[in-house]
Amino acid sequence: MMKMMRAQVIESVGKMVLKNVPVPEINDDEVLIKVKMCGICGTDLKIYSGEYAKEYLPFTSGHEFWGVVEEVGENAKGLKVGDRVSADICITCGTCYFCRRGEHLLCEHFTQLGIHTNGAFAEYVKAPWKNCYVIPDEVDDYSAAFIEPMTAVLQSSKVMDCKISTSVVVLGCGLGILHSAMAKLRGAAPVIIVGDSKKRLDLAKKMDVADYYIDITEVQDVVAEVKRITSGVGADYVLEAVGTPATYEQAFKMVRRGGVVEAFGVVGQGKTAAFEPYEFVLGEKKVRGSCAGIGNDWGEVINLLRYKRMDPKPMFSQVVPLEELEDALHELKTNKEIIKMFVCPDITERIYINK
Ligand SMILES: [Zn+2]
Ligand SMILES: [Zn+2]
């Protein structure tokens, strides 16, 4: 008899239904994972509201997960039933122009597990065995839930490549908190984080991720404030983690001559931001972009968590049962007080953390 499981299926734009569906069948190169926790991401909101990956519906989203290996394909090596694992969600072809050059994130046939294919807002999810990374015991269950978003932060940090003792501004106080922590870990000084929520900035302060905390509801001219802190020069690096044309325009202005703007925040396709070409020609300013983690970013993040180089746990707001995912999506959209929510298919009542 076919084994069934509960899964939240986005049937069409704005319509999510909790269904009984067959447990995914794995081939020799895949593993079946029993989902323990899956973070709710802005991308899930965008899929639900039809702003992203609409053409892939209906499917079950959820890409920020970890779980326990339930079944192992014949070819899988180094994995056994009962292992705690997280999976690199990127699926690339390996043979296109970009893949051949090692630029896998640009793969012409790029898909991501839980963004374009069935993901982890379900009791089980399957993944290629080569994409799985074992989570050591030293990494607790809550920290493990941050692995996927942290891989995006790590990749972005590698692309930005800030040097020791350089100034970094992080615009945005969501994932920006982790970007800020990563910049500090790399030896940037000063690190300046800019946000629009007192609660989030207070949390960032508590986590000690920066040297300066700028609240845009109190500081009128953020560009001037960054210039003031950097002795009139501007910042060596500015990382945009908000995703609006206006904040990109600020980033172009506050970066110093010869400095780097790291583009991380996703602005809707077709929207544009203005910059002065003069500043980029005579000022030799640069822009680099990066949006996701891939491959061994997973291994490296797990290593950072294992040795406590970063501790994302204070950002954990609450865990919700699978049944309440749709409500949670609405709450995330409207309630700025919530930093990060996770779904756990095993629970029947919400668990509140770091209230
Ligand atoms: Zn995400
Ligand atoms: Zn490819």
Side-chain angles (χ1 to χ4, degrees):
M1 216 182 70
M2 199 182 274
K3 233 182 123 188
M4 303 296 277
M5 67 171 186
R6 288 169 300 136
Q8 283 284 13
V9 183
I10 304 175
E11 299 236 287
S12 55
V13 172
K15 189 178 173 204
M16 183 177 278
V17 184
L18 184 70
K19 284 184 136 180
N20 250 329
V21 302
V23 170
E25 274 184 41
I26 59 163
N27 64 31
D28 291 346
D29 290 312
E30 293 172 326
V31 294
L32 183 67
I33 300 164
K34 186 173 192 325
V35 178
K36 285 298 183 183
M37 235 178 256
C38 183
I40 309 174
C41 172
T43 308
D44 296 307
L45 268 173
K46 287 196 172 125
I47 297 168
Y48 175 70
S49 64
E51 287 167 73
Y52 191 71
K54 198 164 51 184
E55 58 280 21
Y56 293 88
L57 297 179
F59 73 98
T60 293
S61 77
H63 59 276
E64 302 183 354
F65 65 91
W66 74 269
V68 174
V69 174
E70 175 90 5
E71 201 185 321
V72 189
E74 201 132 291
N75 297 333
K77 293 172 186 68
L79 291 169
K80 57 179 190 312
V81 172
D83 280 345
R84 297 158 82 228
V85 292
S86 175
D88 171 8
I89 59 170
C90 303
I91 311 287
T92 59
C93 77
T95 57
C96 71
Y97 179 91
F98 299 95
C99 282
R100 291 285 197 213
R101 280 153 188 79
E103 297 177 44
H104 297 284
L105 280 167
L106 303 178
C107 172
E108 287 174 25
H109 311 284
F110 188 71
T111 56
Q112 287 177 305
L113 223 158
I115 294 177
H116 309 97
T117 63
N118 280 331
F121 290 135
E123 286 179 88
Y124 296 91
V125 65
K126 67 173 180 178
W129 74 269
K130 286 182 180 172
N131 289 44
C132 293
Y133 290 77
V134 175
I135 305 167
D137 294 342
E138 293 90 336
V139 180
D140 66 84
D141 291 356
Y142 292 140
S143 299
F146 277 94
I147 293 172
E148 192 278 339
M150 282 178 72
T151 64
V153 169
L154 176 65
Q155 176 65 223
S156 163
S157 170
K158 289 177 185 172
V159 171
M160 183 169 82
D161 196 22
C162 69
K163 308 291 185 228
I164 195 162
S165 197
T166 53
S167 55
V168 172
V169 176
V170 175
L171 298 176
C173 208
L175 262 193
I177 295 178
L178 294 177
H179 283 289
S180 203
M182 191 74 82
K184 208 173 166 190
L185 186 62
R186 292 182 68 133
V191 177
I192 303 160
I193 186 166
V194 182
D196 65 354
S197 146
K198 193 177 173 320
K199 170 147 184 180
R200 287 175 179 231
L201 283 165
D202 282 347
L203 173 69
K205 243 179 240 175
K206 213 176 92 190
M207 290 171 69
D208 193 26
V209 298
D211 302 286
Y212 296 92
Y213 301 83
I214 301 179
D215 185 342
I216 61 163
T217 62
E218 282 164 10
V219 175
Q220 291 260 310
D221 188 343
V222 178
V223 175
E225 181 64 6
V226 167
K227 289 254 169 88
R228 190 189 64 75
I229 294 168
T230 54
S231 310
V233 175
D236 295 315
Y237 300 87
V238 181
L239 191 149
E240 206 285 356
V242 180
T244 64
T247 36
Y248 272 100
E249 286 169 6
Q250 280 180 339
F252 297 144
K253 282 187 188 132
M254 65 176 68
V255 72
R256 72 160 166 88
R257 290 187 296 125
V260 172
V261 172
E262 165 66 12
F264 181 86
V266 181
V267 185
Q269 248 178 329
K271 285 189 187 154
T272 57
F275 70 90
E276 258 186 274
Y278 179 91
E279 291 276 311
F280 284 76
V281 181
L282 281 94
E284 296 196 349
K285 294 182 177 180
K286 296 154 194 78
V287 181
R288 297 176 190 156
S290 131
C291 65
I294 191 167
N296 202 45
D297 288 337
W298 261 260
E300 292 166 26
V301 161
I302 289 170
N303 191 50
L304 289 176
L305 288 171
R306 176 180 185 167
Y307 290 102
K308 313 278 184 278
R309 290 301 185 270
M310 285 178 77
D311 178 16
K313 265 196 316 262
M315 295 173 72
F316 215 109
S317 304
Q318 42 177 294
V319 200
V320 304
L322 187 59
E323 287 69 18
E324 294 179 30
L325 174 59
E326 198 171 13
D327 296 337
L329 283 173
H330 289 289
E331 288 164 40
L332 262 184
K333 208 169 186 173
T334 49
N335 186 353
K336 274 223 159 143
E337 302 277 284
I338 302 169
I339 314 278
K340 193 76 187 165
M341 282 170 119
F342 296 83
V343 167
C344 175
D346 293 336
I347 60 170
T348 51
E349 261 173 57
R350 287 195 191 200
I351 303 170
Y352 294 89
I353 300 143
N354 298 315
K355 250 207 280 193

